[in-house]
Amino acid sequence: MGRAVKEAQYRHHRALDTRLAAIGTTLAQWDALRAIARTPGASAHELAVATFQGDQSFGTLASRLAAQHLIERRPGRGRRIEHHLTEAGERVLTAGRAVTRDVLAASFGPLDEGERATLLGLLRRIGAPGEELRGQRPRN
């Protein structure tokens, strides 16, 4: 079952990366832009958590986004560095939303609305924060 989930995710991410490349970005970059748009002024650590990355990986990614003038890093309180989208970043984010809508529709198109709702509910249930997986045996 885990392999089937990973295969679906892999196909989905490959499609997203391919389509996002056409607008000059990657899935990781677009996801970072989306996280920054959701929480303007967030720290690198907060954004790393939101994008399922380590702090160092996100820092490298943010440096690339800043070099492309897609985000700005501004000093916050203390040593905190805050992240904000630029106008160019907003444009890439908007273009990426159209791409992701199309890919999501294709990825989940074989499922009817009820099946999509069931799948979402099940994935949320097994992925709930605080669930401990170590040492548990699968139920048959």
Side-chain angles (χ1 to χ4, degrees), residues 46-102:
E46 293 164 336
L47 294 166
V49 170
T51 58
F52 305 101
Q53 297 186 47
D55 290 352
Q56 186 174 357
S57 295
F58 188 85
T60 301
L61 176 59
S63 293
R64 273 188 256 134
L65 294 171
Q68 295 172 348
H69 307 289
L70 299 176
I71 68 168
E72 291 178 347
R73 292 166 141 176
R74 302 177 194 157
R77 289 183 15 198
R79 295 177 46 191
R80 180 183 175 98
I81 302 295
E82 298 179 346
H83 296 75
H84 299 271
L85 292 182
T86 63
E87 286 184 27
E90 290 278 358
R91 286 192 298 273
V92 171
L93 180 64
T94 298
R97 283 185 176 133
V99 166
T100 58
R101 262 192 310 275
D102 291 347

Side-chain angles (χ1 to χ4, degrees), residues 16-44:
L16 283 168
D17 260 333
T18 299
R19 297 277 309 277
L20 288 168
I23 63 167
T25 194
T26 67
L27 178 55
Q29 291 173 342
W30 183 81
D31 192 39
L33 295 175
R34 183 174 59 170
I36 294 166
R38 284 183 180 154
T39 54
S43 71

Side-chain angles (χ1 to χ4, degrees), residues 112-122:
D112 65 33
E113 189 174 333
E115 290 170 325
R116 287 191 301 271
T118 298
L119 177 60
L120 178 59
L122 293 170

